Amino acid sequence: MNYTAKGVLLVLSGAISYGILATIVKYSNSLGMHTGVLVFMQYVIGALALSLIAGFRKKEALAPKPSSASKLKLMLFGTSVGLTSCLYYVALQYVPVSVGIVLLMQSIWMGVIVEFLFTGKPVSTIKIFAALITIFGTVLASDVLFQESEISWTGILWGLAAAASYTVSLYASSNVEKGLHSYVRSKYLVLGGLFAVLLFWNTDITSNLNSINILISGVVLALFGTILPPLLFTKGIPYIGLGLASILISIEIPVSIMSAQLILGEQVSVTQWLG
């Protein structure tokens, strides 16, 4: 398998993992679990798991070893990973889930622009066309055109902030300290994300730790939100670049729709399937 095909499969797998998170969180919320606690457990368990994995991998004498500056840089960029979850869930307090997904997927064109600004490489016509097709399909899949409720500008701003944060996290997976092994990079990115979650939710976490079920949900969220995606993205994105990766992550939309239909029993319209 060539490196491009390998990168595409890795990024798609990471995006599919992310795609089921909204359903898990929504189901957990229906059981009375607070979003802040769920995100906190997701990042705590994820950080511990990645630290253990990186520790075991040390036995294989992975080189080079991260310097203090490299660790700090990865953690600083990793705050965007945690902020993406926080900002997105705040946006959903003001706008419907379908609108929130559309806002988050603005990272598609943001990623193409960021890649151009940082690399200086001209954006290919096929990549622009693919981005436009993906955005159009995203709008249909979210059913945003048929939403009758009034849209909150506050929610839109939070959603766009989440998209910008998501773009930064994808950039970090692609470019920051890429000379280090993906296990090491993922570990420090998620540790930075945990720090951001603690700052964002603070007292909401301690006041809502009230159920053993939170631990179960946290393990599932950690697996599909903070363990698999960082490992898959830090490994796959360098093979294909941020622009293509930003387009591929739109697979989160059909995955979210199908998981919501199967697990939550939500109805899916013909327009959404077309999207």
Side-chain angles (χ1 to χ4, degrees):
M1 183 183 296
N2 62 47
Y3 286 120
T4 299
K6 183 177 180 180
V8 167
L9 288 177
L10 288 169
V11 172
L12 283 176
S13 298
I16 288 171
S17 294
Y18 268 141
I20 67 174
L21 293 181
T23 298
I24 298 171
V25 170
K26 188 172 182 180
Y27 179 75
S28 299
N29 288 155
S30 69
L31 298 178
M33 302 180 206
H34 190 274
T35 300
V37 178
L38 291 170
V39 178
F40 170 71
M41 294 301 296
Q42 172 185 334
Y43 279 84
V44 166
I45 296 171
L48 289 174
L50 288 172
S51 296
L52 288 173
I53 292 172
F56 283 121
R57 298 288 291 187
K58 284 182 180 179
K59 297 178 181 179
E60 301 177 14
L62 297 176
K65 302 296 183 182
S67 63
S68 297
S70 295
K71 294 176 183 178
L72 179 60
K73 187 175 182 181
L74 284 167
M75 290 182 68
L76 287 174
F77 272 96
T79 58
S80 66
V81 179
L83 280 176
T84 299
S85 300
C86 297
L87 295 171
Y88 178 60
Y89 291 127
V90 170
L92 294 181
Q93 296 177 16
Y94 297 94
V95 298
V97 172
S98 58
V99 176
I101 292 173
V102 169
L103 294 171
L104 185 64
M105 286 297 102
Q106 299 312 300
S107 57
I108 295 169
W109 59 264
M110 290 182 182
V112 174
I113 292 175
V114 167
E115 184 178 50
F116 169 73
L117 292 176
F118 280 90
T119 65
K121 297 179 181 178
V123 182
S124 64
T125 302
I126 188 63
K127 192 172 289 186
I128 294 174
F129 180 73
L132 292 174
I133 289 294
T134 305
I135 292 172
F136 177 69
T138 299
V139 172
L140 290 179
S142 65
D143 214 21
V144 67
L145 297 176
F146 302 96
Q147 289 288 336
E148 298 179 357
S149 57
E150 184 178 348
I151 302 301
S152 165
W153 285 105
T154 302
I156 289 176
L157 292 175
W158 282 111
L160 290 176
S165 181
Y166 195 16
T167 304
V168 174
S169 67
L170 290 173
Y171 172 81
S173 298
S174 173
N175 295 279
V176 178
E177 301 296 333
K178 59 183 180 181
L180 298 174
H181 198 279
S182 60
Y183 291 97
V184 177
R185 295 171 65 216
S186 298
K187 169 187 171 181
Y188 289 104
L189 286 172
V190 171
L191 284 172
L194 173 60
F195 180 72
V197 170
L198 287 170
L199 287 179
F200 193 91
W201 293 105
N202 51 76
T203 56
D204 285 336
I205 297 172
T206 55
S207 61
N208 289 282
L209 278 169
N210 52 18
S211 172
I212 189 63
N213 291 328
I214 292 175
L215 178 60
I216 299 173
S217 294
V219 169
V220 178
L221 288 170
L223 177 62
F224 293 106
T226 51
I227 298 175
L228 290 177
L231 290 174
L232 294 168
F233 285 162
T234 53
K235 186 72 173 178
I237 295 179
Y239 290 147
I240 60 175
L242 178 61
L244 178 55
S246 299
I247 294 170
L248 291 174
I249 61 171
S250 64
I251 198 174
E252 291 179 29
I253 301 300
V255 171
S256 295
I257 290 175
M258 287 188 285
S259 62
Q261 184 185 40
L262 294 173
I263 298 174
L264 302 176
E266 295 185 359
Q267 297 300 311
V268 182
S269 68
V270 174
T271 303
Q272 286 177 288
W273 282 120
L274 177 61

